[in-house]
Amino acid sequence: MNTLELKSAYEAAYHKSATAIYFAPGRVNLIGEHTDYNGGFVFPCALSFGTYLLVAPNDEQKINFRSLNVEAVYSLELSQLTTPLPDKAWANYPIGVFAQFIKRGVVIEQGYDILFWGNVPAGAGLSSSAAMEVVTAYALNELLGTGFDRTELAKIGQKAEHEYAGVMCGIMDQFASSHGKQDHAIYLNCDTLAFDLVPVKLEGIKVVVSNTHSPHHLDSGAYNDRVRQCRLAVEQLAALRPIKYLAELSQADFEQVEHAITDEVAHRRARHVVGEVQRTKDAVEALQQGDIEQFGVLMNQSHISLRDDYEVTGPELDALAEAAWKVEGVLGSRMTGGGFGGCTVSLVREEAIPTFIEQVGKEYTEKTGLKADFYIAEIGNGAHRVE
Ligand code: ADP
Ligand code: MG
């Protein structure tokens, strides 16, 4: 939908015109997986698709929420914004954001009629939830004149997801949706929130996101296991190297002390984390030197490490990545996000995209019986006002 169509849809829903349109993107992590809670860096970029929010004030003292993607509509009194709705209502994402503003001492005295529309495939791991939270936070910040910076808007989104959707996510998704910049990726330390915007010049190359449509996902059990195993590795290293996070060890350091990790599983988990931190650093350097081929090689190594050492890929993600590696014109391909299901991200030369979609799609269906979907993305801007 273009903005003209969105405005008509708003008029059809609320019988008046929207006074503003905002946008916040979904994101994809290019490299740096399962490094965030180990004190390491991630390297996500904002996508050209995301969530739009159209809004106008009303004089009902109510916040009305509609979405063109979902049928359910919600109408809340201003006093009802501080309690989550039951039954996983989609409006909990934006309501959670309102609640965070209120928690920060902001008084909401005015009702609003809000309409969302998103073109991020929901539940695919491209963070349609963060896009919705961040677009709401960005819009409210402007409507209420609260002056929060982009990092604070990301934190507001993250807290909304924790408290209103019950998902204990890290900060990466909201940070990328808030801070993203066209043709740049964000080299972000999730612990300190220090970050650099690194130019990603993809001349003749596209970011292709491939969706497994697998019902599997990284559940909290598997996630918590990985967190625990990484902690065990840190504990077993304590006598030789007292560190807080695995990411503090360079590859060379790790090789000197890894024998101290006697738990075989913890050892492999640690090897992934240390390697991935190094690969992410190397990938950023490769980009800075304009060496996109090397960036692709590191993406492939990342997938292999996530498959063999971290064991979070599964047959669907492996089928997609392994099929992609065989296609000429693919620079690199790896799983992205938590793992098991969700998507892979690939860098593909433009002229190879039709072959990529055909061959990878075919091989994926042969191996898994499922049908993959492909999205060709640009690296877009973070949250902004459209008009
Ligand atoms: P992901 O963030 O990976 O896309 P999540 O399960 O975290 O997946 O978030 C998806 C949920 O976010 C949807 O089930 C829905 O509740 C909500 N959501 C996202 N975008 C929209 C939208 N445009 N309209 C209504 N709800 C949305
Ligand atoms: Mg999400």
Side-chain angles (χ1 to χ4, degrees):
M1 270 202 196
N2 58 34
T3 45
L4 218 59
E5 291 165 326
L6 285 173
K7 284 196 229 174
S8 319
Y10 187 92
E11 279 159 29
Y14 289 116
H15 310 293
K16 63 182 187 192
S17 301
T19 51
I21 307 180
Y22 298 92
F23 172 81
R27 65 91 191 96
V28 70
N29 190 24
L30 296 174
I31 195 163
E33 216 66 76
H34 287 281
T35 49
D36 52 349
Y37 51 88
N38 286 301
F41 284 78
V42 292
F43 196 49
C45 61
L47 297 170
S48 46
F49 33 80
T51 303
Y52 292 81
L53 181 158
L54 289 83
V55 62
N58 64 40
D59 31 62
E60 288 177 58
Q61 298 281 304
K62 277 185 181 161
I63 313 288
N64 295 313
F65 295 100
R66 287 173 180 265
S67 166
L68 296 174
N69 300 93
V70 193
E71 258 179 50
V73 301
Y74 297 93
S75 180
L76 277 84
E77 304 286 340
L78 298 180
S79 61
Q80 292 176 304
L81 293 166
T82 46
T83 328
L85 298 170
D87 305 329
K88 295 197 176 256
W90 68 264
N92 273 329
Y93 295 95
I95 294 169
V97 170
F98 272 87
Q100 289 302 319
F101 275 74
I102 294 166
K103 264 198 175 170
R104 284 164 176 72
V106 177
V107 182
I108 296 163
E109 295 167 317
Q110 163 78 63
Y112 293 100
D113 293 325
I114 296 177
L115 177 71
F116 292 99
W117 177 70
N119 54 1
V120 188
L126 301 180
S127 227
S128 68
S129 60
M132 186 170 234
E133 290 146 9
V134 172
V135 77
T136 307
Y138 190 92
L140 277 185
N141 198 35
E142 213 179 277
L143 293 166
L144 305 171
T146 34
F148 295 129
D149 64 19
R150 286 182 184 270
T151 297
E152 194 61 22
L153 297 180
K155 287 183 186 169
I156 286 172
Q158 182 196 22
K159 280 279 178 226
E161 183 127 356
H162 288 182
E163 293 173 16
Y164 277 64
V167 179
M168 298 310 287
C169 57
I171 190 75
M172 169 171 74
D173 302 356
Q174 290 81 3
F175 203 93
S177 184
S178 183
H179 277 281
K181 188 172 170 199
Q182 190 174 357
D183 299 329
H184 288 71
I186 307 170
Y187 189 48
L188 168 69
N189 183 317
C190 293
D191 194 34
T192 63
L193 300 189
F195 73 101
D196 261 328
L197 286 166
V198 181
V200 184
K201 286 189 214 81
L202 295 174
E203 272 146 33
I205 296 163
K206 294 280 185 210
V207 177
V208 180
V209 176
S210 311
N211 190 346
T212 58
H213 286 296
S214 157
H216 305 136
H217 60 279
L218 180 78
D219 62 24
S220 53
Y223 179 87
N224 293 341
D225 283 347
R226 300 301 181 286
V227 174
R228 210 168 24 76
Q229 290 151 353
C230 289
R231 248 190 241 134
L232 176 60
V234 168
E235 280 164 25
Q236 296 196 329
L237 286 168
L240 293 179
R241 287 278 194 293
I243 49 167
K244 185 170 171 213
Y245 291 121
L246 287 170
E248 290 164 45
L249 295 176
S250 71
Q251 187 74 47
D253 254 356
F254 180 72
E255 282 164 18
Q256 280 179 16
V257 295
E258 61 182 317
H259 59 86
I261 310 173
T262 51
D263 183 277
E264 191 267 330
V265 175
H267 176 245
R268 279 190 292 121
R269 304 298 188 245
R271 188 164 60 193
H272 165 73
V273 173
V274 172
E276 188 75 357
V277 168
Q278 184 68 50
R279 275 187 292 278
T280 309
K281 197 165 161 233
D282 293 347
V284 170
E285 271 171 31
L287 273 187
Q288 282 162 339
Q289 288 158 13
D291 191 352
I292 195 84
E293 268 92 11
Q294 179 58 14
F295 191 90
V297 168
L298 292 161
M299 287 173 78
N300 296 348
Q301 289 173 357
S302 166
H303 185 91
I304 291 166
S305 173
L306 288 156
R307 183 188 67 190
D308 299 343
D309 277 347
Y310 222 65
E311 296 178 287
V312 288
T313 56
E316 292 86 4
L317 287 166
D318 287 339
L320 278 183
E322 285 160 18
W325 296 339
K326 293 182 206 157
V327 178
E328 201 176 316
V330 172
L331 293 127
S333 185
R334 59 180 288 275
M335 61 154 269
T336 183
F340 296 124
C343 295
T344 62
V345 58
S346 310
L347 296 182
V348 188
R349 293 197 191 282
E350 265 168 88
E351 63 274 13
I353 291 176
T355 316
F356 177 91
I357 292 176
E358 201 212 307
Q359 283 189 24
V360 176
K362 185 163 166 275
E363 192 170 322
Y364 181 67
T365 302
E366 281 166 6
K367 278 196 182 158
T368 65
L370 298 168
K371 193 182 166 304
D373 258 326
F374 301 93
Y375 320 105
I376 298 157
E378 311 275 343
I379 301 182
N381 280 317
H384 58 274
R385 183 168 174 171
V386 178
E387 63 178 68

